[in-house]
Amino acid sequence: MLVIRRVRKIVSWKMISQVNHLFVSPITEKGSALISPQNFQSLNIRCFRSSHNVKVSVPELTTQTPVFPAVSKITRVARTDGQAALFDYLHCTRGFNYMDAEHISKNSPHFLQSLLSKIDNDQDVTRALTRFFRYYPINEFEPFLESVGLKPSEVTSMLPRDLMFLSDDHVLLDNYHVLCYYGIPRTKLGKIYRDATEIFGYEDGVLDMKLKAYEKLGLSRSTVIKLVTSSPTLLLGEMNSELLQVLEKLKILGFENDWMGGYLSNRHSYSWGRMLNTLHFLNEIGYSDEKIATLFKMNPAFLFEGSGKRIYVLVGQLLKLGLKMNDVYSLFCQNPNILSLKCAKNLWHALYFLLEIGLEIDNISNIVSAHIQLLGSHSLKGAKTVLRGFKGDKCRLCQTVKDDPLNLFRLASKSKFNVDQMTSQSPGKLFEKTTFLLRLGYLENTDEMAKALKQFRGRGDQLQERFDCLVNAGLDCNVVINMIKRAPTTLNQSKNVIEKKIDLLKTYLGYPVESIVSFPSYLCYDVDRVHRRFSMYAWLKQKGAAKPTLSVSTLLACSDTRFVKYFVDIHPEGPAMWESLKSSLQSAN
C-alpha cells in the first residue's frame, strides 16, 4: 500500500509540473525571458527500493521542477517530530556526530516536507518515519546540501551521481568540519560549496593552511570569514594577488587591514581587480591619497558596493555626452563629493531625465559642466510627472530648460527648498553646506536635512574645518559624525574656540579628548563657565576634597546653585576660592 500511495503522488507531481509549464513562463516587465530554456536542467526523481525490489521510476521531465514536492501545510508538532526522527536516524543509526545531525535535521525543511509527504496524516510521525528509514535509506547529500544554505533547485545539480551516504566522502566531511570549526556559519557554506566546490576535495591540512595564510596578513578571523564567504574563490589556488594589492593600497591610505571587514557582506561578491583599478583611477584623475581616504571614510559603500563599478558607469556616461576626459577629471577634482553614492545616483537620474525629454546632447553637456553640483545635490521627479504640467509637450519643456537651466530644478526638484531663494542667498555657500551635510549622512529633501541646515551656522568650508579640528584632536571620523548628529550646535563654535575647550579639558582635568564623546554638548558651553568650573574642580582635587575622575557632564550640566552646593561649599576655603576665580576671569576679560 505504501508503494501504491507513492506512485500516485509521484504521478500527480508530474501532472502538476506539466500543467504549470503550460501556463507559467518567466517573463520580465519588458517581455523578455529571464531564463533561457537551455538553462533549465532535467531532473531525475529518486525513488527508494523496497525489500521486495519493487522499483518505481518516472521519466525525465523537460522543465525544471522543485527538488522537493509542494505539500499541504505541516503542523508544528509534525515538523518537530519529523526533525527528531531525522536526527535520531542520522545520529544513532548512521553515526553522525551530535552537532552535524542536529544542524541537518533542523535546517532542511524542504527535504523534511518530502519525508512527511510519504506518510499518512493520521499516522504517528516518529514511528512512521522510523519504520520508513528502516526500509528506505535516504540520499544523505540532499538534506546536507540544503542545510548548508543551498536552494532546493540548486541541490539537484550538486548531488553526486555515484554516492548516497555522506560517510562515503570523508574528504568532503573533513573540509566541511574545518570550515565549521574555523567559525564560518554552517548555513553560509552553501555559497562556498556552489562557487568553489574544489575546496571540499582538499587533502588534510590544506584548507586550514589557506585560512591561516590570510590571518598572517594581519586580518582578524572575523574578517577572513567575511572574505571567504563573500568570495569563496579566494581559497582556490594561490593567494589572490589583487586582494593583496588592495590591502596594501588601503594601508597606504591609513586604513587598518580589518577596516574592510566592517563593510563586507556575504550577500555580495567582490571583484578585487575592479577595486584596485578604482583606487588607481582616483589617483590618476587627481585625487590625493588624503582625499581618497576621506571619500571612503564618508562613503565606504562607494568602494564595496559594486566593487567600485559606479565610477566607471558614471565616467562612461559623461564621455558619451561629449565631455573630454580632461573635462571629466576637472569636474571630479572640483566636486569630489559627486562620487558619493547619493550624489552619483542623483546625477544619473538627472541625465536620464534630460535624455528622456529629448534635450540635445550639447545642451545636456553644458548643463552638467555648469551645474554638476546642483544635479548631484537634488533628486528629480520623473519626466512623465513634470511633462503633465506641459500637457506632454517635450519641446516646450526643453525650451524652458534651455532658457534657464535652473528651471529644471524649479520644475522637477523633489526638494522642499525654493531654488530661487537658495540661489539668491549666496548659492555657493548653501550648496557647500548641503554637500557637507550629505557627507555626514543626512538625506536630502528630508525634514532632518531642513532642520540641520537651520542648526548649522557657517559656510560649508568652515563646518568642514571645525569637523577636521575634532578629528585632528584624536577622535575617529565616525565618532565625530555621531557626536555632531547628537549635538549639531557643536560645529557652531569657531575652530579657535573648539581648540581652546579641548586644551582646557586636558590642562585642568588631565582628561583625554575621548571623554567628551558621551557628552558632545561640552563644546557648546561658554568658555568662562568651563574655565571657572574646571579650575574649581582642579583645586578641590588638590585639596583631596573631590573624587578624582568625575565626568565632564557632572561638572558642567548642573546649575550654578547646585555647583556651589556640591563643589564649593564642601570645603571651608571653597567659597573664597570660588569668588577669587570669578574675579580673576572678569578682570582678564
Side-chain angles (χ1 to χ4, degrees):
M1 291 299 292
L2 179 62
V3 173
I4 293 175
R5 283 198 300 271
R6 292 192 66 255
V7 171
R8 289 175 179 171
K9 288 179 180 178
I10 291 173
V11 172
S12 66
W13 298 336
K14 179 184 177 184
M15 292 175 64
I16 291 171
S17 67
Q18 290 174 338
V19 171
N20 286 339
H21 178 61
L22 293 175
F23 293 98
V24 180
S25 59
I27 302 296
T28 64
E29 293 180 1
K30 296 182 179 180
S32 59
L34 288 172
I35 305 174
S36 63
Q38 289 81 0
N39 290 336
F40 285 95
Q41 296 181 353
S42 61
L43 170 66
N44 288 323
I45 299 181
R46 286 173 168 73
C47 301
F48 301 102
R49 293 176 183 270
S50 71
S51 57
H52 299 288
N53 295 322
V54 178
K55 181 179 180 182
V56 181
S57 61
V58 178
E60 281 193 349
L61 302 181
T62 57
T63 59
Q64 186 178 13
T65 58
V67 177
F68 307 108
V71 295
S72 58
K73 188 174 180 180
I74 298 170
T75 65
R76 183 183 301 177
V77 174
R79 183 179 294 106
T80 301
D81 290 345
Q83 289 175 347
L86 180 57
F87 168 80
D88 186 68
Y89 170 75
L90 294 173
H91 182 53
C92 301
T93 304
R94 295 290 302 128
F96 282 64
N97 68 50
Y98 186 93
M99 293 291 291
D100 290 349
E102 182 181 45
H103 175 78
I104 293 173
S105 63
K106 290 185 176 181
N107 292 278
S108 53
H110 291 85
F111 180 79
L112 185 63
Q113 273 194 332
S114 176
L115 286 178
L116 293 176
S117 70
K118 302 182 191 315
I119 62 175
D120 291 333
N121 293 333
D122 56 351
Q123 284 186 286
D124 179 278
V125 171
T126 303
R127 177 179 294 181
L129 284 183
T130 301
R131 179 180 177 84
F132 181 85
F133 291 140
R134 188 179 306 153
Y135 297 105
Y136 305 100
I138 62 174
N139 186 330
E140 295 167 3
F141 285 89
E142 291 185 20
F144 169 75
L145 293 178
E146 185 184 357
S147 73
V148 297
L150 288 176
K151 299 176 182 178
S153 57
E154 295 174 320
V155 170
T156 305
S157 60
M158 308 294 299
L159 289 174
R161 295 184 178 182
D162 54 349
L163 295 177
M164 187 171 179
F165 301 111
L166 278 169
S167 58
D168 291 338
D169 193 347
H170 65 88
V171 175
L172 179 148
L173 282 178
D174 289 344
N175 286 295
Y176 167 75
H177 288 138
V178 169
L179 295 172
C180 292
Y181 298 151
Y182 190 76
I184 299 176
R186 293 171 186 252
T187 54
K188 305 298 182 184
L189 296 178
K191 183 176 181 179
I192 299 178
Y193 191 89
R194 183 189 64 224
D195 297 346
T197 312
E198 300 94 321
I199 291 172
F200 292 85
Y202 283 158
E203 296 180 1
D204 185 39
V206 174
L207 181 54
D208 185 64
M209 178 185 66
K210 287 180 176 290
L211 292 168
K212 295 291 176 58
Y214 284 104
E215 287 189 39
K216 290 179 181 178
L217 296 175
L219 299 173
S220 66
R221 177 168 291 202
S222 62
T223 299
V224 175
I225 290 173
K226 288 184 177 181
L227 275 173
V228 299
T229 51
S230 61
S231 303
T233 54
L234 290 176
L235 294 175
L236 297 177
E238 299 296 328
M239 189 172 290
N240 190 291
S241 61
E242 292 171 338
L243 171 61
L244 296 180
Q245 293 179 67
V246 169
L247 291 173
E248 187 61 32
K249 181 62 177 177
L250 290 177
K251 186 179 294 185
I252 293 173
L253 296 177
F255 295 103
E256 297 294 332
N257 282 340
D258 277 331
W259 173 75
M260 69 161 54
Y263 303 100
L264 295 175
S265 170
N266 53 44
R267 293 192 299 271
H268 303 290
S269 295
Y270 299 95
S271 171
W272 306 106
R274 188 189 299 151
M275 278 192 195
L276 187 62
N277 291 336
T278 299
L279 292 167
H280 290 327
F281 180 77
L282 290 171
N283 277 140
E284 289 172 4
I285 64 176
Y287 276 69
S288 64
D289 286 347
E290 183 179 358
K291 286 184 178 179
I292 297 175
T294 301
L295 179 67
F296 290 157
K297 284 178 182 177
M298 296 295 186
N299 300 285
F302 168 70
L303 179 65
F304 294 107
E305 288 187 10
S307 304
K309 181 179 180 180
R310 284 181 177 84
I311 186 172
Y312 294 105
V313 174
L314 182 58
V315 170
Q317 187 63 43
L318 294 176
L319 292 176
K320 285 182 179 180
L321 291 175
L323 294 173
K324 303 298 182 184
M325 183 58 80
N326 289 337
D327 299 330
V328 176
Y329 289 172
S330 178
L331 283 175
F332 283 177
C333 291
Q334 294 171 17
N335 306 277
N337 63 295
I338 205 66
L339 294 180
S340 70
L341 295 180
K342 185 68 175 178
C343 289
K345 182 180 179 181
N346 286 340
L347 178 58
W348 181 263
H349 284 307
L351 294 177
Y352 184 79
F353 178 98
L354 295 172
L355 289 169
E356 191 173 1
I357 66 174
L359 194 64
E360 293 84 353
I361 295 297
D362 290 342
N363 292 119
I364 297 176
S365 178
N366 292 333
I367 292 175
V368 170
S369 298
H371 302 288
I372 192 170
Q373 188 72 34
L374 271 171
L375 294 171
S377 301
H378 287 76
S379 178
L380 302 183
K381 303 172 185 176
K384 291 181 180 179
T385 302
V386 178
L387 280 168
R388 290 194 191 106
F390 289 79
K391 297 181 179 180
D393 190 343
K394 291 186 177 181
C395 292
R396 192 155 63 92
L397 176 55
C398 287
Q399 189 58 50
T400 303
V401 174
K402 289 178 187 177
D403 293 341
D404 183 359
L406 292 181
N407 285 331
L408 171 66
F409 305 100
R410 295 187 182 98
L411 295 168
S413 177
K414 294 179 180 178
S415 173
K416 297 179 181 179
F417 310 119
N418 187 295
V419 175
D420 294 320
Q421 292 179 356
M422 294 171 71
T423 52
S424 63
Q425 300 175 4
S426 175
K429 293 181 181 178
L430 188 54
F431 293 135
E432 284 178 10
K433 182 187 288 189
T434 302
T435 299
F436 173 75
L437 294 177
L438 287 171
R439 289 202 295 269
L440 291 188
Y442 286 93
L443 299 177
E444 66 167 321
N445 308 329
T446 61
D447 293 337
E448 187 185 24
M449 173 66 90
K451 185 178 179 180
L453 283 169
K454 295 177 181 178
Q455 289 177 317
F456 288 95
R457 295 196 297 269
R459 302 189 309 271
D461 60 332
Q462 292 174 327
L463 295 173
Q464 185 65 55
E465 181 184 51
R466 297 163 191 171
F467 180 92
D468 293 339
C469 178
L470 291 171
V471 173
N472 294 334
L475 294 175
D476 180 78
C477 178
N478 293 322
V479 171
V480 176
I481 291 175
N482 291 330
M483 287 174 56
I484 292 170
K485 286 190 174 183
R486 287 163 52 202
T489 51
T490 297
L491 288 192
N492 291 343
Q493 319 297 313
S494 69
K495 177 184 176 184
N496 291 336
V497 170
I498 293 175
E499 290 177 340
K500 186 172 184 179
K501 289 178 180 178
I502 292 176
D503 184 62
L504 287 172
L505 182 74
K506 295 179 178 178
T507 303
Y508 284 90
L509 302 186
Y511 289 2
V513 69
E514 288 79 10
S515 58
I516 66 172
V517 171
S518 59
F519 185 57
S521 297
Y522 160 69
L523 297 172
C524 304
Y525 282 91
D526 180 72
V527 172
D528 287 345
R529 180 190 183 104
V530 173
H531 197 296
R532 190 166 56 245
R533 293 196 178 189
F534 279 8
S535 299
M536 187 67 203
Y537 176 59
W539 181 83
L540 286 172
K541 285 200 297 182
Q542 289 179 352
K543 298 295 184 179
K547 294 180 180 179
T549 55
L550 289 177
S551 67
V552 177
S553 60
T554 301
L555 297 174
L556 292 179
C558 62
S559 64
D560 284 339
T561 302
R562 289 181 64 85
F563 186 84
V564 170
K565 179 179 179 180
Y566 292 107
F567 295 97
V568 176
D569 294 343
I570 61 173
H571 193 279
E573 301 175 20
M577 184 62 187
W578 181 240
E579 292 301 322
S580 174
L581 287 172
K582 289 197 292 185
S583 299
S584 62
L585 285 174
Q586 289 174 357
S587 61
N589 293 333

